[in-house]
């Protein structure tokens, strides 16, 4: 699978709530060095957000060398979509404030 295939199949896993297949694809991404592809990383963040695994989404985000506006919005959404009853609104606001410090990544 190439980055385009990965980026196309991850949203399907999220839509089907297929966490096992999604995690297996994530492992494939890591094993094959595809985690540095911007589109793949953004889709991984979105998938983990849909699964409610914001910790995994944050790890993907933290390892990204290049981020764009989609990356920032995806991690904010991951915190917003978290199923934790206590929520993660403060973390989402912190990410937003950090995003403002890096205007070059907002292209």
């Amino acid at each position: 699978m190439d980055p385009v295939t990965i980026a196309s199949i991850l949203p399907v896993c999220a839509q089907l709530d297929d966490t096992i297949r999604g995690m297996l694809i994530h492992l494939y991404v890591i094993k094959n060095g595809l985690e540095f592809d911007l589109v793949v990383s953004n889709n991984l963040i979105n998938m983990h957000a849909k699964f409610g695994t914001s910790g995994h989404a944050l790890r993907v985000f933290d390892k990204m060398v290049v981020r764009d506006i989609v990356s920032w919005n995806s991690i904010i959404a991951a915190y917003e979509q978290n199923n934790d009853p206590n929520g993660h609104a403060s973390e989402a606001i912190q990410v937003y404030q950090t995003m403002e410090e890096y205007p070059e990544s907002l292209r």
Side-chain angles (χ1 to χ4, degrees):
M1 293 188 288
D2 67 356
V4 175
T5 306
I6 300 290
S8 299
I9 198 68
L10 289 174
V12 174
C13 293
Q15 184 179 12
L16 295 174
D17 200 29
D18 190 345
T19 55
I20 293 173
R21 187 159 299 152
M23 294 301 282
L24 288 172
I25 293 170
H26 190 164
L27 290 172
Y28 176 90
V29 165
I30 292 168
K31 182 179 176 183
N32 291 282
L34 300 173
E35 70 266 33
F36 301 109
D37 184 278
L38 180 64
V39 177
V40 170
S41 292
N42 287 341
N43 277 283
L44 282 169
I45 293 169
N46 286 328
M47 180 191 71
H48 284 297
K50 296 271 183 353
F51 290 162
T53 53
S54 59
H56 291 299
L58 182 59
R59 278 191 285 283
V60 171
F61 182 80
D62 285 342
K63 290 181 180 182
M64 292 177 76
V65 177
V66 176
R67 297 179 182 132
D68 63 2
I69 190 70
V70 175
S71 312
W72 290 99
N73 287 329
S74 296
I75 196 64
I76 290 169
Y79 281 123
E80 182 271 327
Q81 293 175 16
N82 191 290
N83 295 330
D84 185 347
N86 297 323
H88 287 275
S90 61
E91 286 91 342
I93 294 297
Q94 283 178 325
V95 170
Y96 173 76
Q97 290 169 337
T98 304
M99 176 182 74
E100 290 182 318
E101 297 172 15
Y102 296 96
E104 69 278 359
S105 68
L106 302 179
R107 297 184 182 117

